[in-house]
Amino acid sequence: MPADLGTRITQIERMLRAVIRSPRLTNASIEGGAVQVYDEHGSLRALVGQQPDGTSGVTVVNGPPPPVPAPPTVAPALAALSVTWDGAFADGAAAPLDFARVEVHVGPDAGFEPSQGTLRDTIETAQGGSVTVPLPYTAWWVKLRARTLAGVAGPASVAIEGTPRKAAAADIQAGAVTAETLAADAITSKHIVGGKIDGALVTGSTVRTGASGNRIVVTPTPPAPLEQIPSVLLHSASDLEKAPGTLRASTKADGTAFPTVELTAPAVQTDWWNLPDTSALQLRSPQLNERDGAFTLTTSTSLDRKQGKATVYGAGSIGPTDRALLRIEVQDGPEAPGNDNGLPARTFIESSGAQLTVRTASTSGDTTVTMDPNGIAVEGWVTRPATDWRLIDLAPGITPGSEAPEVRVTATGTIEMTGYVNLADSTVRSGQQIGTLPDGYRPKTTKRLIVASTANGTIIRMDVNPDGAMRLYPVIGNRATWIGFDSVTCRAN
């Protein structure tokens, strides 16, 4: 530094000019803070850097209020007002550079003060825009108010009146309401008639094809006495119908296994427990590690044991070591013929693998026939039903005697005859036919029988053929005026 004062002052002036001309904040940074911007009056207008909430950026604070927006254009709409702002401000004022939005306020009279309670919508651009405000069918007043980025609200515009429009014929004609004009959740607790609904999800409601007559009803809560689980109800339109048919899926009472689909027919009567008496089909899918699929078809789901029923049950095999099963069961009512109001007559036909079992049971006895590759096994009596007595058809010249000739087949398969015939010609000729047995009473092979006659010492043979012909053959003597059949028997088979 020079010793003389003049030289030193000159150097200081040169250095000061260099500092003034250099860029501001060269090699500067903001470390954990913010630069505060003030106006000429010392009021804070912006923060640059780290904000009070920990974020970083530029935040505008305070600032002058925005100008008054130009009055809106208010037009009636269906149950609403259409509000339009053209982007202009009153007295030709320019849009503020810190513009944020224009608020749309609606009140009941022209003198209302805009507040949070009157705010209905906003226009987010300084270029203007339109909004639709749903309102009741009375007169309303609309005001606009601008707001800056600092949250400062300006004065409100003048109030403009408008009244929402009620629906006219053009609004409710076919096709007037479209998917674009119907808002979500716009229809609640309403009655829709006609038309169609596509791609909709109906939850917790009843859907039906008609209010009465032959119809289908899908409901989560069927009427009593039906089980209270979601069902498809099938109404037959019968005047006698006590309960509709049903299609439903359910499980055991404990809800742990064996989900089942059940189809029942409409019922025309109820049982002692006031439950629908109906036929049903139950389907069960294969159960994991438990059993294969199964089905049950029954003529009656009633618990009333006083009526007979028929049931078909089938189940697949669980695995390679198990056998499939098909069972047919027929059971009479307790008062049917052969019953004693206790054990009803019933028949079981059961097929399992290569084994077929037929069982009949009643108060008269129990018989089981089992057929498998090893043969046929029978438990119980094997009989042939007996037939009633039938008159024998006599040939010309042969008339009934004191007791008309008759024939029957016993339960053991024996043909029995009784009665007498008179011969118009007392001379017995070989092969003479005197009668014919009815169908079902004839032997499978020719039977030769000795019959009683009038003359002592005369022996006459009668052959009974498979075609039922009864022919006489003299053995000793050939004279007889009558022939008797009492105690004449032979095997039918």
Side-chain angles (χ1 to χ4, degrees):
M1 182 70 68
D4 62 289
L5 183 58
T7 302
R8 293 178 65 181
I9 293 175
T10 301
Q11 291 179 345
I12 291 174
E13 289 178 350
R14 188 181 298 115
M15 294 172 58
L16 180 59
R17 283 194 297 269
V19 170
I20 294 174
R21 294 174 179 174
S22 64
R24 298 181 180 181
L25 294 180
T26 302
N27 300 321
S29 63
I30 302 174
E31 303 292 341
V35 175
Q36 299 178 347
V37 180
Y38 294 87
D39 61 11
E40 66 274 15
H41 302 292
S43 297
L44 180 65
R45 293 305 178 92
L47 294 175
V48 180
Q50 186 172 347
Q51 305 300 313
D53 61 357
T55 61
S56 298
V58 177
T59 300
V60 179
V61 297
N62 298 320
V68 179
T73 300
V74 178
L78 182 60
L81 290 178
S82 176
V83 181
T84 302
W85 177 55
D86 60 4
F89 288 87
D91 301 326
L97 296 181
D98 59 350
F99 172 87
R101 67 187 63 86
V102 165
E103 300 174 345
V104 179
H105 292 263
V106 179
D109 53 66
F112 80 93
E113 290 295 330
S115 65
Q116 188 64 29
T118 62
L119 177 63
R120 294 303 183 94
D121 211 329
T122 60
I123 299 174
E124 300 292 326
T125 173
Q127 295 178 348
S130 296
V131 296
T132 300
V133 182
L135 293 167
Y137 297 112
T138 60
W140 297 92
W141 299 81
V142 180
K143 294 182 179 180
L144 301 181
R145 184 172 68 175
R147 192 175 291 272
T148 65
L149 294 175
V152 179
S157 67
V158 297
I160 302 298
E161 184 184 11
T163 301
R165 179 172 58 83
K166 293 184 178 181
D171 297 313
I172 57 177
Q173 66 183 359
V177 180
T178 63
E180 291 75 17
T181 57
L182 184 62
D185 302 326
I187 300 179
T188 59
S189 301
K190 298 298 180 181
H191 188 188
I192 301 176
V193 179
K196 63 180 181 179
I197 300 176
D198 293 330
L201 177 63
V202 180
T203 303
S205 300
T206 297
V207 179
R208 62 186 183 182
T209 59
S212 61
N214 186 248
R215 65 193 185 278
I216 298 175
V217 179
V218 181
T219 175
T221 54
L226 298 177
E227 188 176 358
Q228 297 298 291
I229 59 176
S231 304
V232 177
L233 307 183
L234 310 172
H235 290 268
S236 65
S238 170
D239 293 337
L240 302 178
E241 184 178 290
K242 300 291 185 181
T246 61
L247 175 62
R248 60 194 181 189
S250 61
T251 63
K252 284 185 176 180
D254 57 7
T256 57
F258 305 126
T260 302
V261 168
E262 184 177 65
L263 174 65
T264 66
V268 297
Q269 65 180 1
T270 55
D271 60 18
W272 287 358
W273 293 268
N274 197 35
L275 295 175
D277 185 15
T278 181
S279 57
L281 171 63
Q282 293 181 331
L283 303 176
R284 289 177 290 279
S285 298
Q287 301 303 299
L288 185 61
N289 300 324
E290 290 192 42
R291 60 180 299 175
D292 206 354
F295 71 87
T296 302
L297 176 63
T298 178
T299 58
S300 174
T301 57
S302 171
L303 299 177
D304 187 354
R305 298 298 180 86
K306 286 189 171 296
Q307 61 187 48
K309 64 178 182 179
T311 302
V312 179
Y313 171 78
S317 61
I318 299 175
T321 61
D322 191 31
R323 294 193 298 185
L325 174 66
L326 175 65
R327 180 188 296 123
I328 302 175
E329 177 182 351
V330 180
Q331 178 175 296
D332 288 339
E335 298 178 6
N339 295 340
D340 61 355
N341 282 313
L343 180 66
R346 58 199 188 278
T347 299
F348 304 90
I349 302 176
E350 183 173 292
S351 178
S352 180
Q355 178 175 293
L356 177 66
T357 301
V358 179
R359 178 191 173 198
T360 59
S362 69
T363 55
S364 300
D366 193 328
T367 301
T368 301
V369 177
T370 303
M371 292 176 283
D372 59 29
N374 297 321
I376 300 176
V378 179
E379 297 180 8
W381 292 101
V382 179
T383 62
R384 182 182 189 279
T387 58
D388 295 331
W389 286 101
R390 289 279 302 275
L391 290 172
I392 297 174
D393 185 18
L394 301 179
I398 310 298
T399 60
S402 58
E403 182 180 342
E406 295 181 301
V407 63
R408 74 173 182 178
V409 179
T410 67
T412 58
T414 300
I415 296 176
E416 293 183 350
M417 299 184 191
T418 186
Y420 301 87
V421 295
N422 295 319
L423 305 179
D425 185 353
S426 60
T427 300
V428 178
R429 295 177 299 277
S430 180
Q432 177 183 354
Q433 183 172 349
I434 62 172
T436 304
L437 297 180
D439 289 337
Y441 294 74
R442 301 170 181 177
K444 291 186 177 181
T445 59
T446 298
K447 304 296 182 180
R448 291 178 171 83
L449 311 170
I450 300 298
V451 295
S453 63
T454 48
N456 291 330
T458 300
I459 299 177
I460 298 177
R461 190 188 85 210
M462 182 178 68
D463 288 2
V464 181
N465 298 321
D467 61 358
M470 304 165 62
R471 299 182 183 277
L472 300 180
Y473 294 90
V475 177
I476 298 178
N478 63 353
R479 303 287 297 180
T481 59
W482 57 266
I483 298 295
F485 301 125
D486 284 349
S487 301
V488 174
T489 65
C490 66
R491 290 185 61 82
N493 53 0

